[in-house]
Amino acid sequence: MKVLVFFETRQTFTNTVLEHVSSFAKHSENDYFFCDSGQTITVDLDSFDAVILHYTLRLPFDLVNDSLAAKLEAYRGLKALFIQDEYDHTYRAWYWIKRLGIALVFTVVPKDGIARVYPPEEFPDTRFVNNLTGYVPEKLPVASGVLTSARPLTIAYRGRSLPVQYGQLGFEKIEVGQMVKAYCVEKNIAHDIAWDEKSRIYGADWYRFMASCRSMLGSESGSNVFDWDGTLARDVAAYQEKNPRAGLLQVYRDVVSAREIPGLMNQVSPRVFEAIALRTALVMFRGNYSGVVVADEHYIPLDKDGGNLPEVFEKLADSAYVDAMVDRAYRDVIASGKYTYAAFVRMVDAELGVNRVPGVPAVRDVLRDAEDLINPPAPLLRAPGPYVPPKPSRSPVDFVWRNLPEELRVILRPLVPSFLRRKKK
């Protein structure tokens, strides 16, 4: 099959995103081609067996120009979509799936919740397949070789305060750090736990940090607060303007909580794969974690009220227990190969084959020649590369605004000057 992937180049500056979109070219037996969604399309889409819209092309935020939308509507082959953060502007995602005639959607909504987010009666001609937000990173450094139990730092964590719109799962990313840090201070336990921006660690330094500690804290990712119609950020801003002294819990209770669907979107974080690959033990709030890890088998469960903290640290002090757990987690999650990008791409190709449309591509094939398959005509690429930001415009503020992820612009738009609010990209 010849498959064309549309993606948003500006979103490939992080390793996780670039690995995801690049995995198809690396691991598929099919011929994948890539195109920045902002480029003028000069090839006939009917030359491809399938067209995929990558999650970097944020459909719920209308990041599809009119020209591309028209070409996709007219395309006769299989149209597939990868989508994430499906709690944002959900009805707008519905609109685009229906308008473009997308037949196959790779969703991160857990299987049991797909019908709740995408009712079958609304999508009789669309098939939804669950997948994870990310898989085992392919460029992780080799673990230090030091036994987990021999590492001097007992427990570590780096979190981030998320907007109130993320609900309970967002709160937990701070609560887990606050609770365990307070316990470590009280009991004089070696730790390095922080959740402020200045303490963030990136790149290779992050992997070295993770490999230096016996255990890493964690919680489930995602959000169960659904902004179905795209009004939540506006409602939160309006409430805070009228109630400037309201704390986050009050904002959550009065504005956000009604949109929370507990347990619907709880997901495993890519950090779980990183820790297991580096043979760092995991101490995490009890949860499902997309079925990847099991409590007491692959991670030490922490009660959300902290009631079992003494038991947790007794286990961390047991060298044989910790070393056996990290070996078991590595065997089941990493060495098994179940969560590699290669396995992910095999699954995707199989699903594309199920939905393949007979008779496409058309007889007129602009990618017929071997030279075109190796060096495709512009604007097609054989493999995407990392995003390199352009030089700043005359206004540094304008440059920063244009390069923010759209989901952040939605939250910040009511707070910035009016000339920035009008900017769409």
Side-chain angles (χ1 to χ4, degrees):
M1 296 175 66
K2 287 196 291 293
V3 183
L4 176 59
V5 179
F6 286 103
F7 71 107
E8 169 57 73
T9 300
R10 291 183 304 168
Q11 299 298 320
T12 61
F13 61 91
T14 63
N15 289 337
T16 300
V17 174
L18 183 59
E19 276 202 320
H20 191 283
V21 71
S22 300
S23 64
F24 306 105
K26 291 180 180 178
H27 299 295
S28 178
E29 294 182 357
N30 293 321
D31 284 320
Y32 274 85
F33 299 83
F34 301 83
C35 183
D36 181 352
S37 60
Q39 298 292 312
T40 300
I41 310 304
T42 57
V43 296
D44 185 353
L45 296 190
D46 282 334
S47 300
F48 298 89
D49 298 284
V51 170
I52 293 176
L53 304 183
H54 190 258
Y55 67 74
T56 50
L57 183 58
R58 305 293 302 282
L59 287 189
F61 293 94
D62 298 330
L63 297 187
V64 180
N65 60 54
D66 292 338
S67 174
L68 177 56
K71 289 181 179 294
L72 289 169
E73 287 180 279
Y75 173 60
R76 299 178 297 140
L78 168 61
K79 286 171 274 192
L81 168 68
F82 282 90
I83 186 169
Q84 295 191 10
D85 302 337
E86 290 155 274
Y87 38 77
D88 280 333
H89 294 242
T90 312
Y91 289 153
R92 199 62 186 165
W94 287 19
Y95 163 80
W96 281 109
I97 292 171
K98 294 176 181 180
R99 174 181 168 179
L100 299 179
I102 294 173
L104 179 61
V105 175
F106 293 93
T107 171
V108 298
V109 178
K111 291 180 182 179
D112 292 342
I114 291 177
R116 175 69 177 83
V117 180
Y118 302 104
E121 62 271 19
E122 293 282 346
F123 302 95
D125 301 317
T126 303
R127 194 161 61 90
F128 294 86
V129 176
N130 169 259
N131 70 144
L132 302 180
T133 58
Y135 292 82
V136 177
E138 297 184 324
K139 295 183 179 180
L140 275 176
V142 177
S144 64
V146 178
L147 279 175
T148 307
S149 59
R151 299 174 186 177
L153 186 59
T154 302
I155 195 162
Y157 182 63
R158 287 296 184 271
R160 171 177 278 153
S161 180
L162 297 176
V164 68
Q165 289 94 316
Y166 285 87
Q168 290 296 332
L169 287 177
F171 292 147
E172 287 179 5
K173 294 198 173 295
I174 302 300
E175 291 170 356
V176 69
Q178 291 174 331
M179 181 174 64
V180 177
K181 184 179 181 69
Y183 186 86
C184 288
V185 170
E186 177 187 350
K187 303 296 184 181
N188 196 29
I189 298 171
H191 68 283
D192 189 341
I193 297 172
W195 49 87
D196 56 297
E197 285 299 318
K198 69 178 182 180
S199 299
R200 302 286 294 181
I201 305 173
Y202 297 97
D205 288 339
W206 168 249
Y207 295 139
R208 282 191 287 269
F209 174 68
M210 183 175 282
S212 71
C213 57
R214 190 177 312 174
S215 68
M216 180 69 62
L217 277 174
S219 62
E220 289 183 295
S221 293
S223 174
N224 291 315
V225 176
F226 271 73
D227 185 8
W228 297 94
D229 55 6
T231 61
L232 181 55
R234 182 196 67 194
D235 292 348
V236 167
Y239 179 88
Q240 290 177 318
E241 184 176 355
K242 292 181 179 179
N243 303 274
R245 296 185 178 181
L248 289 181
L249 290 179
Q250 184 177 342
V251 176
Y252 171 78
R253 184 183 66 246
D254 293 347
V255 183
V256 179
S257 62
R259 307 190 192 208
E260 181 121 38
I261 309 174
L264 180 60
M265 288 289 287
N266 299 38
Q267 297 163 29
V268 68
S269 165
R271 281 191 180 183
V272 170
F273 293 122
E274 294 172 353
I276 294 174
L278 293 169
R279 297 183 182 274
T280 299
L282 287 162
V283 175
M284 303 193 294
F285 279 154
R286 294 184 184 273
N288 179 261
Y289 295 95
S290 305
V292 174
V293 290
V294 178
D296 294 313
E297 287 288 317
H298 307 118
Y299 73 95
I300 300 173
L302 173 62
D303 293 342
K304 293 184 179 181
D305 64 0
N308 70 331
L309 273 168
E311 178 185 345
V312 166
F313 282 93
E314 285 179 10
K315 290 179 177 178
L316 285 176
D318 185 335
S319 297
Y321 180 89
V322 168
D323 291 336
M325 174 169 281
V326 297
D327 285 345
R328 189 164 54 244
Y330 189 93
R331 179 197 66 206
D332 294 347
V333 176
I334 307 298
S336 68
K338 292 189 295 184
Y339 302 105
T340 63
Y341 273 104
F344 160 68
V345 172
R346 287 196 298 270
M347 179 275 292
V348 171
D349 284 347
E351 297 294 347
L352 293 177
V354 170
N355 273 66
R356 184 173 183 172
V357 179
V360 175
V363 174
R364 177 174 173 267
D365 187 350
V366 300
L367 295 174
R368 182 170 47 219
D369 296 335
E371 178 64 23
D372 279 348
L373 288 172
I374 298 172
N375 300 299
L380 302 186
L381 303 169
R382 282 300 271 171
Y387 174 60
V388 179
K391 294 182 179 180
S393 63
R394 293 180 181 178
S395 167
V397 174
D398 176 64
F399 172 77
V400 171
W401 175 258
R402 287 188 292 104
N403 284 276
L404 284 174
E406 179 60 22
E407 60 267 31
L408 287 182
R409 292 203 295 268
V410 168
I411 295 171
L412 296 173
R413 192 168 281 124
L415 307 177
V416 300
S418 59
F419 78 92
L420 287 178
R421 293 184 214 169
R422 293 194 294 271
K423 293 186 179 295
K424 298 298 182 183
K425 292 185 180 180

